[in-house]
Amino acid sequence: ALLLARPARGLTDGLYCGRRVCYEVLGVSRQASKAEIARAYRQLARLYHPDRNRGQPAAPEKFLLIATAYETLKDEETRKDYDYMLDHPEEYYRHYYHYYSRRLAPKVDVRIVILVTVCAISIFQFFSWWSSYNEAINYLATVPKYRIQATEIARQQGLLNKTKEKGKNRRSKEEIREEEEEIIKDIIKNKIDIKGGYQKPKIYDILLFQILLAPFYLCKYIVWYCWWIYCFTIKGQEYGVEEKLYIIRRYMKMSQSQFDSLEDHQKETFLERQLWIRENYEVYKLEQEEELKKKMAMDPRWKRYRRWMKNEGPGRLTFIDD
């Protein structure tokens, strides 16, 4: 009688227990508690388990129906949807939507997945920036300009003299050289402000903090923009040095880090030529383009490329004997 429960009006194949009422499949009432449902399921699962009914071809199908009924009723949200379907069989499409939206929904909270992904990207960013920063320090330690300055500072502070011990504490030349190298690199780190893509990593620049601080940055930008409109559009004040450099950077379409990596004398040239004025910048831009064309025309590699394009460029097939 259990598995031959009568079909109920409004039940559809493919949803929950199909045309059977899940409560009747488990032999419990609609008011049954979770403990009663679990107890009924365990009893029926032992009774109809395929391993105990190997001679009955219908046993796997019966067991699957029992398992489906239990999966439907053990979860509070799914059971609530199922009860609503029993009470409102006419809302056909609503039942389909709720059933498949729950089945196809990811098992893991999407917010957790996003958080883990952002954290992983942030960790990768931070260590990647540290690697680039250390590479920049190693390179600057080989540049004579910075190496000589760092060595002189180290001598003035008496740091290099400490590496020359005598007697039992005397070390090999290789050990002394390695320690001196570390001292020079440390001075370069502390005395030289590296800007641009190789600057010292800051934890607030990683993706996680950028997302968390996005509302703050947005509010800050709105306040700054309103201040700019009030000071320079409404009141007509003259631009300061920072404002002039900002306008020049926007004309050049450079990021803040790219602009910061420029030498100070380049920025001074920009200010001397008043490039924050659009007409002056357009003249400067044309001059730079002409200068670049001249350099490319004089470059031997560019000449070879143009000669190749003329004689053996795209669209030509040539056979060269080795």
Side-chain angles (χ1 to χ4, degrees):
L2 168 68
L3 295 171
L4 295 176
R6 61 179 176 78
R9 185 175 68 87
L11 297 183
T12 309
D13 290 329
L15 296 184
Y16 305 106
C17 297
R19 294 189 176 274
R20 302 298 175 189
V21 179
C22 293
Y23 291 103
E24 295 180 0
V25 170
L26 295 180
V28 297
S29 67
R30 286 186 62 173
Q31 291 74 36
S33 64
K34 292 181 69 173
E36 291 174 333
I37 292 172
R39 185 164 54 249
Y41 166 71
R42 288 194 294 269
Q43 292 174 355
L44 293 171
R46 285 195 296 268
L47 184 62
Y48 290 98
H49 198 282
D51 292 343
R52 302 186 61 179
N53 298 272
R54 294 183 179 179
Q56 298 183 23
E61 185 178 347
K62 294 177 182 178
F63 182 78
L64 180 60
L65 180 60
I66 293 168
T68 302
Y70 177 65
E71 289 294 325
T72 301
L73 301 179
K74 75 173 183 176
D75 181 72
E76 289 292 337
E77 296 298 324
T78 308
R79 183 178 179 180
K80 197 178 294 183
D81 288 342
Y82 184 69
D83 288 343
Y84 187 87
M85 186 182 76
L86 294 178
D87 296 333
H88 304 84
E90 72 282 356
E91 299 183 23
Y92 179 80
Y93 293 107
R94 183 183 186 279
H95 305 324
Y96 255 95
Y97 169 75
H98 279 279
Y99 176 77
Y100 283 106
S101 64
R102 290 194 183 279
R103 286 180 65 89
L104 299 177
K107 302 299 182 184
V108 181
D109 193 335
V110 176
R111 292 169 296 182
I112 296 177
V113 175
I114 294 174
L115 178 61
V116 171
T117 303
V118 169
C119 290
I121 294 173
S122 301
I123 293 171
F124 174 79
Q125 273 184 326
F126 191 68
F127 283 103
S128 176
W129 287 342
W130 264 112
S131 177
S132 299
Y133 176 69
N134 288 327
E135 287 179 5
I137 294 298
N138 291 336
Y139 168 73
L140 291 176
T142 63
V143 177
K145 173 184 174 181
Y146 299 111
R147 189 175 185 86
I148 292 171
Q149 291 180 4
T151 304
E152 185 62 29
I153 292 172
R155 286 202 181 98
Q156 291 175 1
Q157 296 179 355
L159 297 176
L160 295 182
N161 297 331
K162 294 180 180 180
T163 62
K164 300 177 180 179
E165 296 93 349
K166 296 181 180 180
K168 296 181 179 179
N169 296 327
R170 186 175 183 180
R171 291 169 295 170
S172 65
K173 292 182 178 180
E174 185 66 27
E175 290 175 334
I176 295 174
R177 193 179 301 112
E178 289 178 0
E179 185 172 341
E180 289 179 349
E181 194 69 24
E182 290 300 319
I183 291 172
I184 291 172
K185 289 179 182 178
D186 189 60
I187 291 175
I188 292 175
K189 285 181 182 180
N190 296 324
K191 299 294 182 181
I192 299 177
D193 183 19
I194 302 176
K195 298 179 180 179
Y198 297 100
Q199 62 186 349
K200 192 171 184 177
K202 298 177 182 177
I203 195 168
Y204 292 107
D205 291 334
I206 64 176
L207 180 61
L208 178 61
F209 281 96
Q210 290 294 306
I211 293 174
L212 294 176
L213 296 174
F216 168 75
Y217 289 140
L218 179 61
C219 293
K220 184 178 178 182
Y221 174 77
I222 293 173
V223 171
W224 172 86
Y225 185 76
C226 293
W227 169 82
W228 183 281
I229 295 296
Y230 174 74
C231 290
F232 305 114
T233 303
I234 298 175
K235 295 185 68 176
Q237 294 181 4
E238 292 187 4
Y239 296 125
V241 175
E242 292 298 323
E243 289 76 28
K244 292 175 181 178
L245 290 175
Y246 169 76
I247 296 172
I248 294 170
R249 179 174 68 82
R250 291 295 299 272
Y251 285 161
M252 292 182 172
K253 298 179 180 179
M254 299 175 69
S255 66
Q256 186 65 55
S257 60
Q258 289 174 324
F259 195 75
D260 288 342
S261 64
L262 297 177
E263 297 289 341
D264 291 337
H265 68 84
Q266 291 178 288
K267 296 177 183 178
E268 290 174 3
T269 302
F270 298 158
L271 294 173
E272 289 173 2
R273 298 197 57 173
Q274 299 183 349
L275 297 189
W276 67 88
I277 301 173
R278 187 76 194 189
E279 293 76 12
N280 294 345
Y281 174 74
E282 292 297 335
V283 173
Y284 173 81
K285 183 179 178 182
L286 290 174
E287 291 177 358
Q288 293 298 308
E289 290 175 353
E290 289 297 324
E291 187 176 344
L292 180 61
K293 289 179 182 178
K294 290 179 182 179
K295 286 183 178 179
M296 293 178 68
M298 299 300 293
D299 189 349
R301 290 176 297 180
W302 178 245
K303 289 181 179 179
R304 287 197 299 269
Y305 174 73
R306 285 188 301 173
R307 190 160 50 247
W308 176 82
M309 288 293 292
K310 181 179 179 181
N311 300 327
E312 303 177 18
R316 297 182 55 118
L317 294 175
T318 59
F319 295 89
I320 301 174
D321 296 330
D322 292 333

